Amino acid sequence: MRKLYTLSALALTLALGACKKDYFDINTNPNNATSATPGLVLTNALNTTARVTTGSYDFYRFAGPWLGYWNFSGAYSGFLEERSYNITSNYAGATSPWANLYDNLEDYNYLEQQGKALGKPYFVAFAKTMKAFDYAYLVDFFNDVPYTQALQSTKIIRPQYDKGQAIYEDLSKQLDSAVVLLKSSTVASSDKAYDIIYGSDLTKWGKLANTIRLRLLLRQSEMPGREAYIKAEVAKIIANGYGFIGAGETANVQPGYSNTDGKQNPFYANFGYNASGNQQGGHQYYLAAQYGLYFYINNGDPRYTRFYTTINDGAGTTYEAHPFGPTATDAEKPQFISAIGPALTLNPDSTKGQDLFGASKPQPLITDFESLFLQAEAAQRGWITGTAETFYAAAVTQSFIKVGLTAADATTYMTEQPVANWNDPDNVGTGVSAEGTSYDKKLILIIRQKWAALNGFNDIEAWSDYRRLGLPADIPISNNPAATTRKIPVRMPYPQSEYNYNSQNVIAEGTINQFTSRVFWDVK
C-alpha cells in the first residue's frame, strides 16, 4: 500500500466551460501538497473516481465475463486467470483497484482536512461522501482493509487492517455526518464550479450520500441478526429528509469530456474507440457473451440492440455469441460475434452516427436506475415506505431510457414479457438462488432486472448481488479445463505489494482463498 501522501499530478481547470484548454493539467507539487487549491483537488478527485471505478477497465475485466455480460475475443489468446478463476495476488483485477482507490482516497482526505481548516463544511461533506464510496468498494473487493490507520502519510507506513463490518458501520456514521454538514452549508459562489457532479447542488449531494448508505445496508441484508440495525439506519436516512437518487438524477461526472484523445469519457476510452475511430483495446478484447445476449433476445428485451452490435462490430446483420470459458477459437473472432453495443460505445464516425452515447457522455457513478432498484428491494423488504412495484417499474423504465429506448418500450416489455411482468404468476411465491436459498420471487425479479440494467454501467454491483444472494441463479460457470474449482470467486486476493511492504499486517489476515474467504456480508 502506498503511504507517502501525494496529490495526483493531473487535475482539471477551474470552470467547466474553460476546461478544454490544459484539460487535465495543474502543476501540483507532490512535496508541498498543502499548496493545492482544495476546489481543484475536488475536481480532480471526482474525475479520478470516475476513471478508477465505473469508468475503469478494472470494474469490467473479470466481472463482465463472470456475470454473463461479455466474453473474450477469439482473436486474442490469454485471459486464463479470468476464464479459470485462478487469480493470485499479482492479478491486475486486485492490484489496480487497491492502488487506485487508496490514491483517490488520499485526495479526498486532503480535501476533508482543508475543508475543516478553511471553514468550508461542504468540502468536508463532499469528501466524506466520496470516501464512503471508495472505501465500500475496497471492502467489497477485499473484506478487511486498512482504515483507521490508513492515509496517515509517514506517520504510519504499515497500517493495521480493520474488520470489514466495522468499516461499513463507520462509513454509515460518516455519511450521516456528511448529511448534517450539507444541511448547514452554503457553497461559496467561487467554489461551485469545482463540483463536476452536481454543480454544488447540496440537495442532490444529500441524495447521493443516502443512496450510497442504502447500498451499504442492502449489502448486509442476509446477515443473521442484522435486520434491527439496518432498519435503525434506514430510519436515520429517512429522517434527514433528502431522500434518494430518483429518476433523471444519475450521479454523473462531467468535466467536459470530448472526442479527443486524452479527454474522452473514461469507459469509452477503455472500451470504445479513439478519436480517429479505431477500436480501443477493451473493445477488441471483449465481445458479447452468450448468456447475456440470449437472455435479452429470448425474453423480448429490445435492449439487446443497445448493449450489443451485430457481428463484426455492427457490419454484419445477425447477433451471435459464444459461451464463456473455453480457450479462444476462430469461431469466437470478432467477424463472427457481436461486440459491445452502441448504448455503451457508439463509434462517432460518420458511417455509424453521431456520438450520442460515446466519448462525450458523462460517466455515471451511481445511475438513477440502480438507485430505484435499491429502493424497490428496500420497499419489498419493508424497510422503506412506497410501493416496490412503483420503484421497480421506474427502474426498468430509466434503464430503457438510459440506453436510448423509450418509456413506451419499457412499458411494453414489462406488460408482455413474463420475465419482467410484476404480476405474472411466475413472479409470485418463492424461488431459489444458485445455492438453493429460498427467496421471495418479487425479490428475484428485482435482482434479475437490476442485473439486466447494469450491463456495462457497473458490473461490480452485479458481482456483489450475485455474491450476496446467488442471483441471477442461472449465471453460467466457466467450463475452461483449467477451472479446477468451478465457482465464481467471492473476493479478490490482497495485492502482492501488501505482502512486500506491509507483510506483518496482511499475513495476520490469514490465508486468503478467492473461493472461501468471503467478504463479511456474504454469508449465504
Side-chain angles (χ1 to χ4, degrees), residues 296 300-308 319 342-343 356-357 396-413 452 457:
Y296 298 110
D301 188 335
R303 285 176 292 184
Y304 79 90
T305 65
R306 311 304 299 154
F307 286 129
Y308 306 104
Y319 290 85
L356 301 176
F357 296 92
V396 175
T397 299
Q398 290 305 308
S399 169
F400 271 61
I401 292 171
K402 192 72 68 182
V403 299
L405 299 171
T406 68
D409 294 328
T411 298
T412 298
Y413 174 61
F457 284 94

Side-chain angles (χ1 to χ4, degrees), residues 71-75 279 284 286-290 293-294 308-323 328-340:
N71 197 2
F72 297 106
S73 169
Q279 295 178 0
Q284 297 176 53
Y286 293 95
L287 300 172
Q290 186 179 76
L293 175 61
Y294 294 147
Y308 306 104
T309 69
T310 54
I311 62 172
N312 200 17
D313 201 24
T317 58
T318 61
Y319 290 85
E320 301 291 345
H322 273 226
T329 65
D330 286 345
E332 293 175 306
K333 288 185 175 180
Q335 59 265 42
F336 307 118
I337 302 294
S338 297
I340 301 172

Side-chain angles (χ1 to χ4, degrees), residues 201-215:
D201 184 324
L202 300 186
T203 297
K204 290 181 179 178
W205 271 96
K207 291 182 178 185
L208 174 60
N210 284 347
T211 303
I212 294 171
R213 197 172 178 188
L214 182 62
R215 182 198 269 176

